[in-house]
């Protein structure tokens, strides 16, 4: 073990005087460290180490010797005759005699194979094993080829389908389809494959909306007016304070919403002029001009919403369910006739004035 001496500071600073005492020093040693090194685990072993002895002379320690450790192990059992297959019987004791004598014969040695284990993998190709031993205890005593202890195998019971999340519906509004990823985790999956496509119905916020916003001035920064479905002549626009020659931009909101603009305030019924139709979208003055709304001069327009096929089919189904009443709920449907509410207004305006204000 390692030993060291510990001394406090010398108050005499190396000078011997009558009133100065030499400090007492102490010595400390580590405990001996013994390592265990055993033969095969079948034999019991123990390590024996003597207690280290240290001697000190005066104030300076001497070198401590390392402890000598010895290993004591049990003796391995011995077999009679070494590798002999038989041991002769012991000699007869005085007064004994052989009554019956039997002869022994060694049997035929053979290979003994155990059951196959499960396949190492449960999803794909792998291997499986089994124990193969000679009946005599040692492989050298068996003749002939040794049976295989490993062989290839396949097992797909653990393969699973990995299914992703459904994607967005292909249609913004109404019937469509959506898809997802479906993949097998291995070479082959058992059972039915999950569907990777299914029908869906789009429900965008603008599916049932229909409104048009018009701006005057420069771009989308001037005055602003919002219009619902209906017909708006020059007289109606004038009543609302719009200047037909000042409409500079427009936005149509609604997947099935349309607006048709006219050059003249009477919807071009008396005076033929240009007209242009716009679906959902935002349009600048240049866009309006390119689609036929010329000279930045919109004097009247009509706004309506088309009824998509899936809504018509739904209405027909409801009518059949309600007993075939074709007029059931007709008055509560604001999209049934987009121009119906404006017809009365057009007739009233015609009665008030026989002339049409042309812009």
């Amino acid at each position: 073990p390692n030993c060291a001496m510990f001394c406090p500071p010398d108050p005499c600073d190396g000078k011997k005087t009558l009133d100065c005492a030499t400090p007492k020093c102490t010595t400390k040693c580590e405990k001996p460290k013994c390592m265990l090194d055993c033969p095969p685990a079948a034999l019991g072993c123990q390590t024996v180490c003597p207690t280290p002895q240290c001697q000190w002379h005066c104030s300076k320690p001497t070198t401590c010797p390392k402890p000598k450790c010895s290993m004591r192990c049990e003796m391995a059992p011995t077999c009679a005759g070494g590798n002999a297959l038989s041991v002769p019987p012991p000699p007869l004791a005085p007064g004994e005699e052989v009554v019956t004598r039997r002869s022994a014969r060694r049997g035929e040695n053979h290979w003994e194979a155990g059951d196959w284990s499960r396949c190492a993998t449960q999803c794909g190709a792998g291997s499986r094993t089994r124990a193969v031993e000679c009946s005599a205890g040692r492989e050298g005593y068996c003749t002939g080829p040794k049976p295989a202890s490993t062989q290839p195998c396949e097992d797909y019971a653990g393969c699973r389908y990995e299914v992703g999340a459904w994607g967005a519906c292909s249609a913004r509004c109404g019937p469509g389809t959506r898809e997802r990823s479906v993949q097998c985790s291995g070479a082959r999956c058992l059972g039915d494959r999950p569907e990777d496509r299914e029908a869906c119905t789009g429900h965008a916020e603008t599916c049932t909306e229909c409104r048009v916003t018009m701006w005057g001035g420069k771009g989308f920064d001037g005055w602003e007016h919002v219009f619902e479905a209906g017909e708006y002549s020059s007289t109606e626009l004038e009543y609302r304070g719009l200047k037909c020659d000042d409409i500079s931009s427009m936005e149509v909101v609604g997947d099935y919403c349309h607006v048709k603009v006219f050059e003249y305030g009477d919807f071009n019924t008396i005076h033929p002029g240009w007209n242009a139709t716009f679906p959902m979208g935002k349009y600048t003055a240049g866009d309006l001009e390119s689609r036929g709304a010329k000279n930045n001069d919109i004097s009247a327009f009509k706004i309506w919403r088309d009824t998509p096929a899936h809504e018509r089919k739904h209405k027909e189904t409801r009518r059949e369910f309600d007993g075939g009443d074709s007029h059931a709920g007709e008055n509560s449907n604001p999209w049934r006739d987009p121009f119906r509410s404006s017809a009365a207004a057009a007739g009233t305006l015609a009665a008030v004035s026989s002339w049409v204000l042309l812009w």
Side-chain angles (χ1 to χ4, degrees):
N2 296 323
C3 300
M5 181 175 66
F6 297 88
C7 299
D10 187 0
C12 302
D13 196 18
K15 297 178 182 180
K16 299 294 183 177
T17 61
L18 294 176
D19 57 349
C20 185
T22 301
K24 295 181 179 181
C25 300
T26 59
T27 302
K28 297 181 180 181
C29 292
E30 293 181 346
K31 292 183 179 180
K33 297 180 179 178
C34 301
M35 298 181 63
L36 183 63
D37 185 12
C38 286
L43 303 179
C45 299
Q46 59 183 0
T47 301
V48 180
C49 297
T51 304
Q53 302 293 330
C54 297
Q55 296 179 356
W56 308 101
H57 300 279
C58 298
S59 60
K60 184 178 181 181
T62 60
T63 302
C64 293
K66 294 183 177 179
K68 296 181 180 180
C69 302
S70 60
M71 184 73 68
R72 298 175 184 174
C73 294
E74 298 175 2
M75 297 297 295
T78 59
C79 295
N83 295 330
L85 294 179
S86 63
V87 178
L92 297 175
E96 294 181 340
E97 62 179 1
V98 177
V99 176
T100 304
R101 186 181 300 274
R102 298 177 181 274
S103 61
R105 183 179 59 186
R106 188 177 67 177
E108 187 68 24
N109 298 331
H110 62 276
W111 294 104
E112 295 178 348
D115 296 332
W116 287 107
S117 66
R118 291 187 59 182
C119 198
T121 178
Q122 279 74 53
C123 183
S127 61
R128 59 180 182 175
T129 61
R130 65 178 178 180
V132 178
E133 299 176 350
C134 180
S135 61
R138 293 185 180 183
E139 292 190 359
Y141 297 152
C142 283
T143 60
K146 180 182 178 180
S149 58
T150 61
Q151 70 173 192
C153 60
E154 292 183 0
D155 191 353
Y156 300 97
C159 296
R160 296 291 184 270
Y161 284 105
E162 298 177 351
V163 180
W166 286 107
C169 191
S170 61
R172 284 177 49 84
C173 305
T177 58
R178 62 177 185 174
E179 298 179 354
R180 64 179 178 181
S181 62
V182 178
Q183 296 180 347
C184 181
S185 60
R188 183 175 65 197
C189 284
L190 305 179
D192 297 333
R193 183 177 184 272
E195 296 293 336
D196 59 359
R197 177 180 296 184
E198 70 174 5
C200 62
T201 302
H203 296 286
E205 294 182 359
T206 54
C207 290
T208 57
E209 296 185 41
C210 187
R211 66 177 185 276
V212 176
T213 304
M214 293 191 176
W215 286 270
K218 184 178 180 180
F220 298 90
D221 299 329
W223 53 260
E224 176 183 343
H225 283 275
V226 180
F227 299 89
E228 302 295 336
E231 298 181 358
Y232 301 89
S233 64
S234 58
T235 304
E236 176 68 19
L237 298 181
E238 183 180 17
Y239 173 77
R240 292 171 177 256
L242 271 70
K243 298 180 180 180
C244 61
D245 57 353
D246 194 29
I247 298 176
S248 61
S249 53
M250 177 178 65
E251 180 181 17
V252 181
V253 178
D255 289 79
Y256 303 105
C257 190
H258 301 272
V259 58
K260 187 173 185 178
V261 298
F262 299 86
E263 181 179 4
Y264 294 107
D266 60 350
F267 307 105
N268 298 349
T269 55
I270 299 178
H271 299 81
W274 55 258
N275 64 80
T277 303
F278 298 85
M280 182 174 68
K282 296 185 72 172
Y283 305 92
T284 63
D287 297 331
L288 297 176
E289 181 76 20
S290 64
R291 296 177 69 94
K294 302 178 181 179
N295 302 322
N296 196 27
D297 185 11
I298 299 176
S299 300
F301 50 86
K302 298 179 180 180
I303 304 172
W304 74 95
R305 179 184 182 274
D306 291 334
T307 303
H310 67 277
E311 289 188 8
R312 292 196 298 269
K313 184 177 181 180
H314 177 70
K315 290 179 181 179
E316 293 173 358
T317 304
R318 287 297 303 272
R319 288 172 183 171
E320 295 176 0
F321 180 79
D322 293 337
D325 186 1
S326 60
H327 299 287
E330 197 172 80
N331 295 331
S332 61
N333 183 7
W335 307 114
R336 184 180 59 81
D337 188 353
F339 304 137
R340 187 174 187 180
S341 60
S342 60
T348 303
L349 292 175
V352 173
S353 176
S354 60
W355 53 271
V356 177
L357 180 61
L358 303 178
W359 286 8

